[in-house]
Amino acid sequence: MTTKYESGGITVSIGKSQTVQLALRIFRVRLTGLLFETDKTFLLPIAMHGIRGLVEYYQNHPNAKLVVTGHTDTVGDAAYNLALSNERAASVGHFLKDEVDPWLACYQGSPHSKTWGTREDQHMLTAIKDDAGQPFYAGPVHGQLDEPTRDAVTRYQTARGLAVDGQPGLDTRRSLCTDYMQLDETTLPATASLEALGCGENHPEVPTPDGTDEPANRRVEIFLFDGSPEPPNPGTCPGGGCAYPEWKQRAEEIVDFDHDLCELLVQCHDDDAQPLENALVRLTREAGDERDLPTNSQGQAFFQNLLAGQYQVRGEKKGFSTEVRTVQVVSGGVAQDSDQAVVAKKSFAGDEGGVGTPFNPSTSGNPPVNLQLDKEMAIIHVVGELPANLTEAVKEGAANQLHAGPWQRVEGTLQSGAGDEELRFDVNGKAFPFIEQPPAKLARLHVRKPHRLPVDYRIWDKAGKTVLTEPNVEPGTTLEVQISTRVRMSVWCFGAPFMNDPHSFNVDSKQLALLAAARIDDVSMVDTICAKESNWTDGGGGTDVAWTGRLRPGGVASGDPRLEDVRDTYIKNLVAGLRANKVQLILGYTIGNEGHSKPKPGEEPAASDTYCKGFTDWLRAASPDVIREHARAIAAFVEKYDAAGIGFDLEITSLGDAHRANLALLYREVSDQLAPRNGIVSYATAPFTEEGKVDGIPCLSGIQAQPFSLARDIPNLIARPMCYDTLPFKFETIGRSVDYAVGAAGLDPAQIQYGIYGHAPGKGAGAAIDFCSNKLRPNRIGMVWYQVSQASSVATTTLTGDCKNAEAALNAGEAPQGTEGQPLQVPRAAP
């Protein structure tokens, strides 16, 4: 009597002989990874790793009978998938037995899979090598018979003694298939018994809903039997009655050649380091494959059966920010260039081993990915005017963190029932999340750096059409707004302007009212003080400052003993009158080569020209302590009159590189001295398009020594390029200077104002106004109108016409001058 062995053992009677029939041994080999392209049956070169492993494994079971089973995912029609899996299983069998003709037939078309063509030729040419050990083709596999592909075909035809025409015809393709099938160690012995069975989507490795793209389910498995297959191969998979599940259950050894299958653990936590349950983690592979998993109670999502490659890992959950990381997922346990199999022995308990096991980074090869999802209830997205008009220069500056637009460094105050909460915005204009309970109202947006005082921004709707006052911030939404603030509109004045009576030294209140109506932020005088070392003053010696010889209100002669009192009275009256109209006064520190001895641009002064040499000789020799003492004297003068700041105008031919260090120190020291009272410091320069240069146009050496870089990182120091009509500074050139200033030069928009002459070269005031609208406003850069005449009639025309129109273009829709937190350039008012 013969007893069939069953799992769990059998009972044998003592003293009696009994014949036991051992169960058929079954071994299961899994080939996973990218074996085929979509809807194709061509076995890709990457599959050779598993094919070689299978052939080597068969050598240890030389009498085994093989059944190749093909499997698909659930994307597409089930009947189509079943037919495709049959063709793929047959294709693998043909490859293993070097059966070329069935493969050649695929170039003519198959009942279900896509027809082969140039793409398959390119794949084979990348795997087949020439006598030098190099592949015949090393270009991209794109299916086009382009010149590199024809060249590869030609070289292959030559090497194989075929007719050379660069065209992959029947003979060439037969040779290609033959060589490809005969790649080292990829062929089973001719005596090997091999059958095929397509299972389609019937027996998934990973259960999924219909329509799911799951790489682990697109696979080929080979069962090795040490006898005839039992149950027999049904030839076609009838679903639940198929022999595959029993073969799989009875297999005592599972052998994986899966160097492209990987594992990855993603851990999500919030900004308090607490795990986030039910966060959605999405993996997106470089080829477009996506997989989603929710996190468990420990905030973990464990992905198995991944193809190796680069993945975007995205974690998201309602009420929390989203974090995205890019990681490189690698195989754990088997190297790319190894054919070693991963073998799992089946235990008596029936555990397949390795399936569903916990993540182990030491064997997976991939460390866990940690995602922090910050708590949030809403997001505010600030869209500025500038991004749509970014030039390459501005992009360069932003990329090097030299320039940040106002929307890139704003902070906000959110009013809610729990009080005010601070908001912080990242460099892309999106708010970092806030935690307090909305709905709430966004009360204000302001910047703290690089300014000395917070500067408030108006909040507009996304289109920039309507100002929003306290816009609602709803939970779970993104509020998109524009923000902007007025920028400084200044006028430059020589001499002693705005006087109505040369003998009373009082300012003309009507002209000051016109300044206010034109929404001018400050009047910047040129001729106020200078260094005693220059001959711009009546005296000399010491490091103190003195009135310039050119500031003579009412025409009082320089030798008149009343002059100093007249100057003093005039400046005090002017400061008071301007402040009453919410306009500031910036005093002027000036020294320059003017008059009959002034050299032409680019020329050095004559040896006898000592007009400004006293100052430049002193500046070159001055020690840092002397420079600081002089800066304190300048700041003390500004503070004496409660003015808003000081503007330097040093147009000196004898000023050059030898003075640059001390000049930079002087500007920095004056800025630091005035910073506690929010004092502004400016310096007149040229519209540079690169460091110290303007498109090759000659500038005074003293101007070249005052580049934009002097202002960088000094918040209350402003560069004021003078765009005279006497030099060829066209608006095209000035526009490039704007790009350079906020780009490569690294200035904040608040640190530059362009001085535009009232009647720009050959184009009139309209060109300047257009420039305000199209270049300065989008960049949030201020303007200086040069100049407002001392003559009352001319000043009135300028203020009511050109200046008013320019300011309207520059600050369209913005708050008026003197508004708290305005303009972008500080200060708004003296303390």
Side-chain angles (χ1 to χ4, degrees), residues 638-666:
V638 173
E639 292 168 5
K640 175 182 177 181
Y641 295 98
D642 204 11
I646 189 79
F648 288 88
D649 184 15
L650 305 179
E651 301 177 56
I652 308 172
T653 55
S654 56
L655 188 68
D657 286 339
H659 306 85
R660 186 180 296 204
N662 271 355
L663 186 62
L665 178 61
L666 175 62

Side-chain angles (χ1 to χ4, degrees), residues 265-283:
L265 178 67
V266 181
Q267 301 176 136
C268 296
H269 59 88
D270 63 18
D271 39 353
D272 291 326
Q274 297 300 309
L276 280 179
E277 186 176 6
N278 289 324
L280 180 66
V281 178
R282 172 168 295 168
L283 297 189

Side-chain angles (χ1 to χ4, degrees), residues 156-167:
Y156 177 79
Q157 290 170 334
T158 302
R160 296 297 185 266
L162 301 169
V164 178
D165 57 5
Q167 300 292 323

Side-chain angles (χ1 to χ4, degrees), residues 55-179:
V55 171
E56 180 180 356
Y57 187 77
Y58 177 82
Q59 292 173 359
N60 297 322
H61 306 273
N63 298 317
K65 298 182 183 297
L66 295 84
V67 177
V68 180
T69 64
H71 304 263
T72 70
D73 57 27
T74 58
V75 175
D77 180 73
Y80 173 82
N81 286 336
L82 181 61
L84 177 63
S85 68
N86 269 306
E87 292 186 5
R88 283 179 170 173
S91 179
V92 172
H94 297 318
F95 181 89
L96 289 168
K97 298 298 292 288
D98 290 355
E99 295 169 350
V100 172
D101 286 341
W103 265 41
L104 279 177
C106 295
Y107 282 98
Q108 305 303 315
S110 300
H112 301 284
S113 58
K114 289 182 180 179
T115 302
W116 296 6
T118 303
R119 191 175 184 88
E120 283 66 35
D121 300 332
Q122 290 171 330
H123 276 306
M124 289 188 283
L125 287 167
T126 63
I128 301 169
K129 297 180 180 179
D130 59 21
D131 291 340
Q134 299 300 314
F136 282 96
Y137 180 68
V141 176
H142 46 55
Q144 302 298 317
L145 189 60
D146 56 9
E147 190 60 33
T149 304
R150 284 194 295 270
D151 176 68
V153 172
T154 298
R155 291 188 297 105
Y156 177 79
Q157 290 170 334
T158 302
R160 296 297 185 266
L162 301 169
V164 178
D165 57 5
Q167 300 292 323
L170 178 61
D171 290 342
T172 299
R173 284 172 168 165
R174 180 181 295 278
S175 180
L176 279 172
C177 291
T178 300
D179 285 349

Side-chain angles (χ1 to χ4, degrees), residues 158-480:
T158 302
R160 296 297 185 266
L162 301 169
V164 178
D165 57 5
Q167 300 292 323
L170 178 61
D171 290 342
T172 299
R173 284 172 168 165
R174 180 181 295 278
S175 180
L176 279 172
C177 291
T178 300
D179 285 349
Y180 190 61
M181 289 180 171
Q182 292 177 354
L183 291 173
D184 291 347
E185 301 174 352
T186 61
T187 301
L188 289 174
T191 56
S193 171
L194 191 148
E195 302 174 9
L197 171 64
C199 293
E201 59 186 59
N202 288 317
H203 307 293
E205 189 74 1
V206 178
T208 65
D210 189 49
T212 302
D213 182 355
E214 173 51 63
N217 289 338
R218 299 193 299 271
R219 66 197 191 279
V220 170
E221 297 185 9
I222 299 94
F223 289 90
L224 290 83
F225 303 86
D226 57 7
S228 296
E230 184 182 321
N233 177 10
T236 183
C237 179
C242 180
Y244 171 85
E246 186 170 345
W247 294 344
K248 175 181 175 181
Q249 193 277 330
R250 289 173 51 191
E252 64 181 68
E253 193 170 86
I254 302 105
V255 183
D256 282 326
F257 296 98
D258 64 345
H259 71 287
D260 282 320
L261 286 188
C262 317
E263 296 177 341
L264 185 69
L265 178 67
V266 181
Q267 301 176 136
C268 296
H269 59 88
D270 63 18
D271 39 353
D272 291 326
Q274 297 300 309
L276 280 179
E277 186 176 6
N278 289 324
L280 180 66
V281 178
R282 172 168 295 168
L283 297 189
T284 303
R285 190 170 173 269
E286 51 201 337
D289 297 335
E290 285 190 351
R291 291 180 60 182
D292 295 339
L293 278 180
T295 55
N296 59 20
S297 58
Q298 285 76 46
Q300 298 176 333
F302 180 32
F303 293 87
Q304 296 176 288
N305 300 314
L306 297 176
L307 292 174
Q310 183 172 286
Y311 282 81
Q312 183 188 81
V313 185
R314 178 186 181 92
E316 57 186 35
K317 185 176 182 178
K318 186 175 182 180
F320 295 83
S321 64
T322 296
E323 184 175 0
V324 179
R325 296 262 308 274
T326 299
V327 298
Q328 192 71 29
V329 177
V330 300
S331 171
V334 181
Q336 284 285 89
D337 57 353
S338 170
D339 291 335
Q340 179 183 355
V342 178
V343 180
K345 295 286 187 180
K346 186 173 181 180
S347 69
F348 286 108
D351 181 16
E352 289 196 353
V355 178
T357 56
F359 176 82
N360 185 349
S362 65
T363 58
S364 76
N366 297 294
V369 175
N370 292 295
L371 301 180
Q372 177 172 312
L373 279 58
D374 297 337
K375 292 183 289 291
E376 68 175 14
M377 299 303 293
I379 288 182
I380 301 170
H381 184 189
V382 179
V383 291
E385 295 172 275
L386 181 58
N389 303 297
L390 277 179
T391 64
E392 292 303 317
V394 175
K395 290 177 182 177
E396 176 188 351
N400 291 286
Q401 298 182 330
L402 297 177
H403 161 64
W407 53 89
Q408 295 172 305
R409 47 180 167 70
V410 298
E411 296 176 334
T413 301
L414 179 75
Q415 290 185 342
S416 66
D420 290 352
E421 292 294 327
E422 292 298 313
L423 304 179
R424 295 176 295 117
F425 289 76
D426 67 20
V427 295
N428 293 317
K430 293 183 179 179
F432 284 106
F434 55 90
I435 302 172
E436 295 300 324
Q437 296 297 319
K441 294 183 181 295
L442 185 61
R444 60 190 297 176
L445 289 170
H446 58 270
V447 295
R448 290 205 175 104
K449 295 179 179 180
H451 308 287
R452 303 287 184 179
L453 289 176
V455 177
D456 284 358
Y457 286 88
R458 304 193 94 185
I459 305 170
W460 301 72
D461 60 15
K462 181 181 179 182
K465 301 295 184 183
T466 305
V467 176
L468 306 176
T469 57
E470 298 186 344
N472 284 325
V473 182
E474 300 291 344
T477 63
T478 297
L479 175 66
E480 290 196 322

